[in-house]
Amino acid sequence: MNRTLLLILTLFILGACSKDDVAKPTPPNIPPILDGVITEFNLSPKDLTTPGEGDFVLFANATFYNVTFDATAKTDSNAYIIFASDTILNDQSREFSNLGNDEVAWFPIRPNQVIIFFTDGRKITGTFDAAATFGGVFGESVIGSWREQADPAKPNQKAKDDIIHLVHRYADIDGPGPETDRQYIFAKVALR
């Protein structure tokens, strides 16, 4: 009986050890340079003149990546972001889904390129294509002021101007003011 118990206990211990020795798959590395297509882009500013959080989905190298960023002081940042064009919304843009009272998203949007430069040399380049969406959390009263009377799903000129002025704040933190410093961000990239 003791030999049987000893044999079972030995086999159990050996089995438990061998399970721990099995190598766990390592997550794929995220390349330091990503160049792809942005499928969704969202902003959640503190207000229309103060950038806040943002995120986008990038399709590159046959893989989807989530890129998240938040406006921060230069000392706490690891990157900065630029938009190549000064246009996001256009006359064909329309709200395309009900996201609640405080959030809106448009489709289609004007072609644009977004580049994030990391302080450690990494770089993300994403291009809005014909299927990209742009949206964010802006608040019910702001969104209400952006709708065309005759076509509520269509953004009016105020919406186009407000969005591009907000995006410009990433390149020039105080917009038309005397400062010329950019808005720095803390950005992260993960597999989707």
Side-chain angles (χ1 to χ4, degrees):
M1 179 73 177
N2 287 340
R3 285 186 186 178
T4 306
L5 184 59
L6 184 58
L7 179 62
I8 292 172
L9 185 58
T10 303
L11 291 174
F12 177 74
I13 291 172
L14 289 174
C17 290
S18 67
K19 288 181 184 175
D20 290 341
D21 294 339
V22 174
K24 294 183 174 142
T26 57
N29 289 334
I30 296 173
I33 306 295
L34 289 172
D35 190 349
V37 176
I38 294 174
T39 60
E40 304 169 29
F41 195 99
N42 298 291
L43 292 176
S44 296
K46 294 181 172 107
D47 58 52
L48 289 178
T49 60
T50 311
E53 297 176 356
D55 64 83
F56 61 92
V57 176
L58 180 77
F59 183 71
N61 306 324
T63 305
F64 284 98
Y65 298 91
N66 279 334
V67 181
T68 58
F69 58 93
D70 197 0
T72 189
K74 184 176 182 179
T75 55
D76 298 326
S77 72
N78 69 346
Y80 64 91
I81 186 171
I82 61 170
F83 292 78
S85 169
D86 64 353
T87 307
I88 303 285
L89 303 178
N90 60 42
D91 288 336
Q92 288 72 45
S93 298
R94 296 292 186 276
E95 292 180 42
F96 68 91
S97 69
N98 184 353
L99 301 171
N101 295 335
D102 294 329
E103 191 171 354
V104 66
W106 295 279
F107 167 84
I109 56 177
R110 182 115 336 135
N112 203 329
Q113 189 175 59
V114 177
I115 306 170
I116 295 181
F117 294 96
F118 288 87
T119 55
D120 63 6
R122 292 178 294 147
K123 179 181 167 187
I124 297 171
T125 304
T127 305
F128 295 139
D129 71 356
T133 65
F134 182 91
V137 178
F138 302 103
E140 184 175 8
S141 63
V142 170
I143 293 168
S145 73
W146 287 349
R147 292 192 168 112
E148 283 283 352
Q149 293 288 336
D151 184 359
K154 181 180 179 181
N156 61 21
Q157 190 59 47
K158 181 179 181 339
K160 295 173 191 174
D161 293 343
D162 285 350
I163 293 294
I164 203 59
H165 290 143
L166 174 62
V167 166
H168 283 169
R169 297 290 176 136
Y170 286 98
D172 184 355
I173 197 165
D174 73 339
E179 295 291 326
T180 58
D181 201 14
R182 69 178 72 253
Q183 173 63 65
Y184 290 91
I185 60 172
F186 186 84
K188 293 187 269 184
V189 184
L191 293 172
R192 183 166 193 190

